[in-house]
């Protein structure tokens, strides 16, 4: 899509939404983008919180996710629980099977443990490409990013022009803390991944996620074998070319 707002208009929208509730932000999203907006969910605690509110605002809210084909069994169970709870027809996006087959044939099944470039290659095939395909169908995508998750997330706006995907990215939970998210899930009895109770605050693919120890950063369990604490992203929320 072409940009709907000038930089000045976008700044004004953000100035207003910065003090709005999450419901108000999602109402604005609905009124502005309608059915051309969807939540792209990882089914983590933030995304479950966000979808609960989105569904309250609009019972026909769209929910998308990426199935990398390497997710934990508990995540697949949560897909089913969420569908039952909200009656939502989850839109699944999968990697291109030819690309997966070629990658596995040439590099092996668990080659991503052998250096960051390999890991990013796998994330490119299993996550970044399907994400691009999904987002190409939307004018706006809604995410559960929070500013206090660190890395580049500290400077996110509520509404951003996403030049990489040629659409808008909406971050209604930008101002929430992890404690607020946990409380909201509990109070509203929202279905969540049982691995969260086993020391996994952040979840991704099964072979690339471990439980964290007390005092560790909440994303320390993601790609734990890599040294760089600022590299705990898979390419979904960063603007970077897909590496070959
Ligand atoms: S998280 Fe691991 S298994 Fe999943 S796509 Fe990335 S490297 Fe591959």
């Amino acid at each position: 899509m072409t940009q709907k707002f000038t930089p000045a208009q976008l700044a004004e929208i953000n100035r207003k939404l910065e003090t709005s509730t999450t419901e108000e932000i999602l109402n604005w999203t609905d009124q502005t983008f309608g059915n051309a907006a969807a939540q792209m969910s990882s089914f983590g605690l933030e995304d479950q919180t966000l979808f609960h509110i989105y569904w309250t605002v609009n019972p026909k809210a769209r929910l998308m996710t990426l199935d990398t084909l390497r997710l934990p069994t508990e995540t697949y169970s949560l897909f089913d629980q969420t569908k039952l709870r909200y009656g939502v027809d989850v839109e699944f996006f999968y990697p291109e099977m030819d690309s997966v087959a070629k990658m596995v044939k040439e590099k092996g099944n668990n080659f991503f443990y052998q250096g960051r470039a390999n890991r990013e290659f796998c994330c490119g095939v299993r996550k970044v490409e399907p994400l691009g395909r999904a987002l190409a169908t939307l004018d706006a995508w809604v995410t559960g990013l929070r500013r206090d998750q660190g890395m580049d997330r500290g400077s996110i706006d509520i509404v951003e022009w996403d030049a990489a995907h040629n659409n808008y990215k909406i971050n209604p939970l930008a101002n929430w803390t992890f404690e607020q998210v946990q409380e909201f899930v509990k109070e509203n009895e929202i279905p969540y991944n049982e691995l969260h109770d086993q020391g996994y605050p952040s979840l991704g693919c099964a072979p690339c996620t471990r439980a964290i120890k007390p005092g560790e950063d909440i994303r320390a369990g993601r790609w734990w074998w890599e040294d760089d604490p600022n590299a705990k992203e898979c390419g979904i929320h960063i603007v970077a070319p897909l590496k070959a």
Side-chain angles (χ1 to χ4, degrees), residues 68-71 103 109-113 116 118-128 204-209 222-223 225-226 233-234:
T68 64
L69 311 175
R70 297 294 300 256
L71 299 175
M103 176 174 73
N109 281 288
N110 286 343
F111 74 104
F112 40 77
Y113 291 131
R116 187 168 158 194
N118 279 325
R119 189 268 284 177
E120 289 179 343
F121 186 83
C122 184
C123 285
V125 169
R126 292 184 188 271
K127 294 182 179 177
V128 180
C205 294
C208 297
T209 312
R222 306 294 297 277
W223 309 292
W225 64 91
E226 293 182 2
E233 294 280 13
C234 57

Side-chain angles (χ1 to χ4, degrees), residues 163-183:
H165 299 111
N166 218 28
N167 60 15
Y168 287 92
K169 184 172 180 180
I170 322 257
N171 306 305
L173 298 188
N175 288 322
W176 285 53
T177 64
F178 188 53
E179 290 69 30
Q180 280 178 293
V181 171
Q182 287 176 304
E183 275 168 34

Side-chain angles (χ1 to χ4, degrees), residues 64-238:
M64 293 179 165
T65 196
L66 308 175
D67 180 355
T68 64
L69 311 175
R70 297 294 300 256
L71 299 175
T73 300
E74 292 83 352
T75 302
Y76 291 108
S77 299
L78 182 60
F79 291 158
D80 292 344
Q81 290 163 21
T82 304
K83 283 197 266 187
L84 272 179
R85 166 76 184 263
Y86 300 104
V88 58
D89 187 11
V90 180
E91 299 171 51
F92 292 98
F93 286 82
Y94 301 94
E96 291 286 356
M97 277 317 296
D98 286 353
S99 303
V100 172
K102 183 170 184 288
M103 176 174 73
V104 169
K105 183 174 165 52
E106 290 176 0
K107 293 170 174 282
N109 281 288
N110 286 343
F111 74 104
F112 40 77
Y113 291 131
Q114 293 153 24
R116 187 168 158 194
N118 279 325
R119 189 268 284 177
E120 289 179 343
F121 186 83
C122 184
C123 285
V125 169
R126 292 184 188 271
K127 294 182 179 177
V128 180
E129 187 281 327
L131 177 79
R133 213 178 332 119
L135 297 188
T137 67
L138 299 175
D139 289 347
W141 58 305
V142 182
T143 87
L145 294 184
R146 294 181 297 104
R147 290 188 181 124
D148 78 359
Q149 283 171 316
M151 300 170 294
D152 291 343
R153 301 179 185 195
S155 58
I156 57 174
D157 286 326
I158 305 286
V159 183
E160 305 179 316
W161 171 248
D162 180 351
H165 299 111
N166 218 28
N167 60 15
Y168 287 92
K169 184 172 180 180
I170 322 257
N171 306 305
L173 298 188
N175 288 322
W176 285 53
T177 64
F178 188 53
E179 290 69 30
Q180 280 178 293
V181 171
Q182 287 176 304
E183 275 168 34
F184 190 88
V185 167
K186 202 168 163 192
E187 273 170 22
N188 293 283
E189 299 179 351
I190 294 171
Y192 67 90
N193 199 312
E194 62 190 72
L195 288 173
H196 291 309
D197 293 334
Q198 297 170 38
Y200 293 76
S202 175
L203 281 165
C205 294
C208 297
T209 312
R210 66 155 170 76
I212 64 167
K213 300 180 193 102
E216 278 189 313
D217 183 86
I218 61 170
R219 283 182 70 81
R222 306 294 297 277
W223 309 292
W224 72 92
W225 64 91
E226 293 182 2
D227 295 333
D228 184 355
N230 294 315
K232 304 287 186 181
E233 294 280 13
C234 57
I236 285 180
H237 292 297
I238 50 178

Side-chain angles (χ1 to χ4, degrees), residues 13-20 25 147 156-158 175:
I13 289 166
N14 274 304
R15 194 188 62 71
K16 284 189 185 147
L17 294 183
E18 191 59 42
T19 51
S20 299
I25 296 169
R147 290 188 181 124
I156 57 174
D157 286 326
I158 305 286
N175 288 322

